[in-house]
Every structure is written in C-alpha cells, then in structure tokens.
Amino acid sequence: MSTVNTVRGPIDSSEIGTTLMHEHLFAHNPELEQNLPHPEWDEEVMIEKARKSLTSLHEDKGIDTFVDLTVLGLGRYLPTVQKVAEGLPLNIVVATGYYTAKDLPTFFHTHAPDGLVGKTLGGRDPLEVMFIDDIVKGIPGTDGVKAGIIKVVTDEHGMTADVQRVFTAAARAQAETGVPISTHTNVAFANGREQQKWFRSNGVDLERTVIGHCGDSTDLDYLKELMDNGSTIGLDRFGMEFVLDDDSRIDTLVALLEQGYAERITISHDAGFFSINTPPSFRAKHVPNWHHHRISDHILPEIRKRGATEQQITQMMVINPVRVLTGDAAATAAVAAKALGAGVS
Ligand SMILES: [Zn+2]
C-alpha cells in the first residue's frame, strides 16, 4: 500500500511530507462531560484555535501531516476533527484502537465472543470488527473517513486480559489491513519489552510497530534494544516536562543519532489543544513548552547545534513516517531519494 488514509481521504506516499507521528487534537470523557461540563471546552473556540495553530504549523514550520492518536477511551469524536480538517493546508491522519491500561467497558465483556450476549450472536470480537471497519469501511458517522493507524496501550498493570484483547484485535486488524500499530508505554515499567514480546509471539511484524513514549526514557540500552529488534521508537513527548525535561530528551536523541539510529526514530509531542485530564489553563501555566510548535521552534535548532544533520532530521520526520504509515519499501525509497536529494543540494 502506498497511500495513507487521512480525514479528507487517501493521499499518496509522496504527499505525506514532514510528519508529527504522535499528537492529539481533543481528548474527552463524553459521559463525564455530559454530566460535569468542563468550563474550558467550547467547541467553536477550540476548533478555531486548532485550525489557526495547525495552519501556522504548516505555513511557518513546514509540517505537512499530523497523526492524531486519539482513540476510544480518549473520547475520539470524528465530527469535530472533520471540522478542524476542512480546507486545512495540512493532512490529519486519525487512528482506531482502544486506550485502556487495564479494563474494557462492560459492553465488551457481555459482547465478547464467549460473553453473555456475544455467545448468542456468534461471530468475531466486536473490538476486532470495529478496528477493521474503521480502517476499511470508515468510521461511523463520517461518510467514510478511514483510520490510518492503530493505537494500543500497556502501562503499570501490564498485559491484563482486557489489554490482551485489545492487542489481539489490533494484531488481526494489522494483518488484515496493513496499517501500523502505535503504542503507549510507561517509562517506569519499560513496557516496550512486554509489547515486543507479545507482538513477536502473536505474529506481528515488529517493523510495523512504533513503540511510543520512548523519549521519557534515558536508558539508551533499552531504547537500542527496541530498535535493534525492528521497531521504530517514538521520542514523542517533547515539551512534556513534568515527565522529563527537554534537555534530557535532547541528550537522548542526540546520543542515539550519534550511534546511527536515525532510521528507527520518530519525533513528536503528544500535545493537544484540549484535554479534560490536563486542561489548557493547567498546561499553559505549568507545562508551557508542551505544544505542537516545540520541535520546530526549539528541539530542531538545539539538535542542529549539537551536530544533527539535515539528513537525519529528514529521516526522522519524513522518511520514517512514510515507511511506518505505508509499509511500502519501494514508495519509501522513492520518497527518500527525493527528500535526501533535495536536502543535500
Ligand atoms: Zn498520546
């Protein structure tokens, strides 16, 4: 496959361009917000804020594609994303998957293939059906917007029974559709190892996985192990300084580039315009550097000063995203030839 699904339809691998691989627009908890509205959520204002910022991200910073990994469990709601994407000079890729570190809602228990309701219905796990339909048929209520990536999570509880169901559904959807799997990990538990072990023993090609939140770690051996095993890693929380300061994140990135790992790294922010969990006023006051312009404004200039080359930056921000999103070696090679050719001039 050499096209990638975006909110406004499929684009060719040559149009993906400079990409932020792990971001968010809006993270919600719909049930909570129906009963406890958040004073900082105003849909029109937030849509406008996102459109303005993303337009600037493209026009001033040269970002072409923004991957929104907001899935179920984080309040994914495509109609709002579509309003943001309308007429925008930047591509938005959306995800399917389920964000849970421990349990799924009761619905998925009663509707499991062997569950109270599920066994009366027969058929596949509704999680798996949902992931595949989101990628192949389109996300309900959107007139056919298709997901371009799958998101899964492990954290402090590890591979719980429900998390394994999510991983199983993701593995099957990956095998059937070819789209990549991107993960959440917790640095304290070095979850990348258990994720790779699970992927390997369940037939998922590690080349089609991005192990996320790796930039929270300063353990180079751990990070190199994940990459040597075939995964791409996400140093994807630049600006999220309550977990780790950017100076340390930069040290890790520079060290890995010096050791020749540019082909296995993507960089991003995991930032968002609204999250019920860490609302905009909190972020503005306590984590002011955590926004979608941080890499362009601060991280790239800093790593350039420390010897990172334009080729390495192009590799991480253009070529690796194309390889991960398409899984197409020929298309990736074509993009690389063009991008690196232009970079060397
Ligand atoms: Zn995220």
Side-chain angles (χ1 to χ4, degrees):
M1 106 188 164
S2 60
T3 60
V4 171
N5 290 318
T6 77
V7 175
R8 294 202 308 261
I11 59 170
D12 188 78
S13 51
S14 62
E15 299 173 86
I16 298 170
T18 305
T19 301
L20 296 172
M21 284 291 287
H22 188 138
E23 301 295 347
H24 298 275
L25 293 176
F26 313 120
H28 288 289
N29 182 326
E31 185 193 25
L32 181 64
E33 289 172 68
Q34 279 158 19
N35 294 283
L36 185 65
H38 196 282
E40 291 180 45
W41 174 253
D42 178 322
E43 185 181 284
E44 269 181 43
V45 171
M46 287 297 164
I47 288 171
E48 218 24 65
K49 186 177 157 191
R51 287 176 58 81
K52 224 174 135 183
S53 178
L54 295 178
T55 301
S56 149
L57 205 53
H58 176 74
E59 287 177 356
D60 307 327
K61 311 298 175 185
I63 302 295
D64 300 300
T65 299
F66 177 101
V67 180
D68 181 358
L69 289 182
T70 310
V71 293
L72 280 80
L74 290 173
R76 186 186 76 178
Y77 186 61
L78 258 295
T80 318
V81 176
Q82 286 180 287
K83 286 181 194 165
V84 172
E86 205 183 311
L88 212 65
L90 165 149
N91 311 302
I92 300 178
V93 174
V94 291
T96 188
Y98 212 105
Y99 188 97
T100 178
K102 193 164 177 267
D103 301 317
L104 286 162
T106 307
F107 168 85
F108 288 106
H109 297 163
T110 58
H111 286 71
D114 61 350
L116 180 68
V117 179
K119 68 185 173 194
T120 71
L121 301 172
R124 298 206 278 188
D125 188 332
L127 265 182
E128 181 186 328
V129 174
M130 180 179 80
F131 292 179
I132 293 170
D133 284 354
D134 278 356
I135 298 162
V136 175
K137 293 183 185 168
I139 296 167
T142 66
D143 253 343
V145 174
K146 293 171 181 170
I149 190 163
I150 306 164
K151 165 82 167 290
V152 299
V153 172
T154 62
D155 204 296
E156 60 179 314
H157 307 288
M159 283 283 179
T160 68
D162 279 7
V163 166
Q164 290 199 53
R165 258 181 86 189
V166 175
F167 271 65
T168 300
R172 289 183 183 156
Q174 201 282 319
E176 197 161 315
T177 68
V179 308
I181 299 174
S182 185
T183 78
H184 161 107
T185 62
N186 181 330
V187 60
F189 303 92
N191 301 101
R193 288 201 177 102
E194 70 187 0
Q195 292 177 353
Q196 285 195 327
K197 187 169 170 231
W198 192 95
F199 286 138
R200 272 182 161 159
S201 54
N202 288 274
V204 177
D205 181 359
L206 292 180
E207 296 277 339
R208 304 298 297 128
T209 67
V210 180
I211 307 296
H213 306 339
C214 282
D216 294 349
S217 175
T218 55
D219 181 347
L220 297 184
D221 290 335
Y222 166 62
L223 301 177
K224 289 192 285 185
E225 175 190 328
L226 298 178
M227 293 187 281
D228 290 342
N229 285 340
S231 293
T232 296
I233 63 170
L235 305 189
D236 52 21
R237 281 177 157 177
F238 281 103
M240 198 199 268
E241 298 196 280
F242 58 82
V243 178
L244 185 70
D245 60 275
D246 275 352
D247 287 346
S248 304
R249 293 179 187 277
I250 288 168
D251 286 344
T252 302
L253 173 54
V254 168
L256 292 174
L257 292 178
E258 283 169 354
Q259 292 177 51
Y261 281 91
E263 287 182 20
R264 292 282 148 193
I265 297 169
T266 55
I267 56 176
S268 207
H269 307 89
D270 199 17
F273 296 103
F274 174 87
S275 164
I276 175 102
N277 303 316
T278 48
S281 61
F282 168 85
R283 292 185 184 206
K285 186 159 180 224
H286 300 283
V287 249
N289 296 327
W290 192 24
H291 54 76
H292 299 113
H293 285 58
R294 180 67 173 171
I295 286 174
S296 308
D297 288 349
H298 180 74
I299 307 301
L300 296 183
E302 287 302 310
I303 65 171
R304 282 181 180 121
K305 273 188 224 161
R306 293 183 52 182
T309 64
E310 295 312 307
Q311 285 94 326
Q312 287 172 324
I313 292 169
T314 300
Q315 183 74 43
M316 295 189 291
M317 298 195 76
V318 180
I319 301 168
N320 297 345
V322 169
R323 187 190 69 236
V324 168
L325 290 169
T326 66
D328 182 329
T332 306
V335 166
K338 198 167 169 219
L340 293 175
V344 173
S345 65

